[in-house]
Amino acid sequence: MQLLPRRLAPAFRLIAVAGALGTAAIPAQAAEFLVRPIEVPELKAVFAEVESRTVVPARARIGGTVREVKVSEGSQVKEGDEIALVVDDKLALSLNAANARIQELKSQLANAATELDRAQQLLARGVASQSRVDTARTQYDVAANQVAAAEADRAVVVERAREGAVLAPAGGRVLTVPVTPGSVVLAGDEIARIASGQYYLRLSLPERHAADIKEGGTVRIGARGLSPEKAGGIAAARSGRIVKVYPEITAGRVMADVDVEGLGDYFVNERTLVWIEIGRRSVLAVPLDAVTTRHGIDLVRVAAAGGTIAVPVVLGERLEVDGAPRVVVLTGLVDGDTVLAP
């Protein structure tokens, strides 16, 4: 007996499986499905980085020494919260000097008030002239204005001391705190950086995909994690939307931003796995319940003259078409085949 070449053996085994199953009558409850090509998105798995819409610095308003830092990296703050305290020792000396000056001027004001009262009494008795009363009143007004000016100067010193409190310019998460208690800072120096905006994903794709990504396109975001095992599959991924495609290509990469909900607990610059549509391809897909597995071989029953034939197929990924689950058939079927399913 002549033996078959080894390269032909797998094909003859598939024919033997189909021949062993033979043809069968169409079940009464069987439904016919006409195999036609459908367009499905071509997805590319890439890593995206979590970014914040805005990152604002909290700056010192006066120069001095950092007395206290009330936040650390990762702290949540609200707008107006005190995050650090800067103290300038010279302000305390200026405040003491302002208080002493006010006390001096108040003594002069009291003396001017006494002189004015005495001049008015003497004028009433006819002893003093009106010019003396006018002079005393002028001295009193000058002393009162000097007290008011000194109190305003003291208010300036007090306000500068109050500005030593570094306040959060916006609510959000503290990213960095580059100072420690005891650090010497100048007015305008950065005390902390706060991520105050909504989080989004930043994509970096090769230049060859620049023409395939559009604003408004759908992106599928996996679970948190870098490995495919942690990120899960495409079927379990959530959806995001491309909101901006940057017009400049840098180092052979095109940048795009993706809006997605539920990134509040992510780290800024954390990477996560996403799938982005870079094109569309034509595939053949059949209903999931039309596929049966026997002895490790996937079979699809195809209508033929006089009955059905069980055709071995190679399956691809699963997808949904009009809300119905289907599976892609890589080999075994052609356009126009009629598949029978329960």
Side-chain angles (χ1 to χ4, degrees), residues 202-252:
R202 172 69 57 82
L203 297 178
S204 177
L205 299 174
E207 182 178 352
R208 63 180 180 272
H209 301 308
D212 299 322
I213 58 175
K214 305 292 183 182
E215 291 187 6
T218 301
V219 177
R220 294 170 175 84
I221 298 94
R224 191 173 184 177
L226 294 178
S227 64
E229 293 78 12
K230 291 184 178 181
I234 299 178
R238 49 183 170 161
S239 296
R241 184 173 60 89
I242 298 177
V243 295
K244 179 183 290 187
V245 178
Y246 289 88
E248 183 180 11
I249 295 178
T250 305

Side-chain angles (χ1 to χ4, degrees), residues 100-112:
R101 176 64 176 167
I102 290 174
Q103 293 299 326
E104 175 189 359
L105 293 176
K106 284 185 176 180
S107 299
Q108 295 180 5
L109 178 62
N111 186 37

Side-chain angles (χ1 to χ4, degrees), residues 54-62 66 68-72 75-86 163-180 185-196:
T54 55
V55 177
V56 294
R59 300 185 182 276
R61 294 179 288 177
I62 64 171
V66 179
E68 183 180 6
V69 178
K70 300 183 179 180
V71 297
S72 61
S75 300
Q76 289 285 345
V77 296
K78 298 179 181 179
E79 182 178 356
D81 286 351
E82 183 177 331
I83 62 178
L85 179 62
V86 178
E163 288 180 351
V166 181
L167 305 180
R173 181 186 296 181
V174 178
L175 297 181
T176 57
V177 182
V179 298
T180 59
V185 296
L186 299 176
D189 283 354
E190 185 177 283
I191 304 300
R193 291 174 58 245
I194 301 172
S196 60

Side-chain angles (χ1 to χ4, degrees), residues 132-308:
R132 180 177 178 181
V133 175
D134 294 340
T135 302
R137 181 175 290 106
T138 300
Q139 292 176 350
Y140 175 82
D141 292 339
V142 169
N145 291 332
Q146 289 178 343
V147 171
E151 289 179 344
D153 292 339
R154 182 180 64 176
V156 172
V157 176
V158 172
E159 182 61 25
R160 286 185 56 82
R162 189 179 294 113
E163 288 180 351
V166 181
L167 305 180
R173 181 186 296 181
V174 178
L175 297 181
T176 57
V177 182
V179 298
T180 59
S183 301
V184 177
V185 296
L186 299 176
D189 283 354
E190 185 177 283
I191 304 300
R193 291 174 58 245
I194 301 172
S196 60
Q198 180 184 359
Y199 286 1
Y200 67 98
L201 293 179
R202 172 69 57 82
L203 297 178
S204 177
L205 299 174
E207 182 178 352
R208 63 180 180 272
H209 301 308
D212 299 322
I213 58 175
K214 305 292 183 182
E215 291 187 6
T218 301
V219 177
R220 294 170 175 84
I221 298 94
R224 191 173 184 177
L226 294 178
S227 64
E229 293 78 12
K230 291 184 178 181
I234 299 178
R238 49 183 170 161
S239 296
R241 184 173 60 89
I242 298 177
V243 295
K244 179 183 290 187
V245 178
Y246 289 88
E248 183 180 11
I249 295 178
T250 305
R253 313 287 292 184
V254 58
M255 312 299 292
D257 292 345
V258 178
D259 262 350
V260 59
E261 297 181 357
L263 297 178
D265 58 344
Y266 278 62
F267 293 100
V268 176
N269 297 329
E270 180 180 352
R271 295 192 300 164
T272 186
L273 186 62
V274 302
W275 292 269
I276 183 172
E277 181 178 337
I278 59 173
R280 302 188 73 84
R281 57 190 173 94
S282 179
V283 298
L284 299 177
V286 298
L288 197 59
D289 54 3
V291 181
T292 59
T293 303
R294 296 183 183 178
H295 308 291
I297 300 176
D298 296 318
L299 303 171
V300 174
R301 303 189 69 86
V302 179
T308 63

Side-chain angles (χ1 to χ4, degrees), residues 38-40 285 319-326:
I38 59 175
E39 295 288 332
V40 297
L319 48 86
E320 285 192 4
V321 179
D322 297 331
R326 293 191 187 180

